[in-house]
Amino acid sequence: GSTASKPPAKSSLKLKSYYKQIDGVKYDRALLEVAEGKAGDGQISFADAKELLEDASDGKGITECERRTLLYTLTVLKYTEKAAAFMRTALGEDTLKSYYKQ
């Protein structure tokens, strides 16, 4: 007779969602987890911020969800001043300059 094992029930195979929903807003789970890991030593450094941006820029550039996720990390995780300034500028949130195009 066949001794093929039965596959586990679907519920036990439930994969983590690609998104993490916080207060009704979807964020990129993997990117958020990487950022949280980088902040584990206290704060996100400039080098960490550059790596996060490179991670987010995979494929066709930064998606709206990835951008939202990175902006969210700026509000909930501690960045060094240089890292935060770099991230805001890279994400187009350097609002003092962005309103006036030269």
Side-chain angles (χ1 to χ4, degrees):
S2 173
T3 57
S5 61
K6 221 168 61 168
K10 279 226 189 298
S11 63
S12 67
L13 284 177
K14 191 172 183 189
L15 295 171
K16 278 186 173 179
S17 168
Y18 179 78
Y19 298 107
K20 181 168 187 172
Q21 197 158 331
I22 303 167
D23 297 329
V25 181
K26 284 184 178 175
Y27 298 101
D28 183 305
R29 177 182 296 276
L31 194 57
L32 198 53
E33 287 174 356
V34 169
E36 287 166 348
K38 290 186 179 302
D41 64 355
Q43 59 186 4
I44 292 177
S45 68
F46 178 66
D48 291 336
K50 281 178 70 175
E51 283 178 29
L52 282 171
L53 202 63
E54 284 169 19
D55 282 356
S57 301
D58 60 348
K60 297 177 181 170
I62 298 178
T63 65
E64 189 53 42
C65 181
E66 288 166 331
R67 183 176 181 276
R68 188 182 323 118
T69 303
L70 290 172
L71 289 172
Y72 175 73
T73 67
L74 280 167
T75 64
V76 297
L77 302 174
K78 185 165 175 53
Y79 276 72
T80 64
E81 211 170 299
K82 183 179 178 184
F86 165 77
M87 189 63 82
R88 278 196 290 273
T89 300
L91 296 173
E93 287 296 305
D94 195 0
T95 50
L96 294 175
K97 293 177 189 147
S98 65
Y99 283 126
Y100 306 100
K101 298 248 191 266
Q102 297 282 330

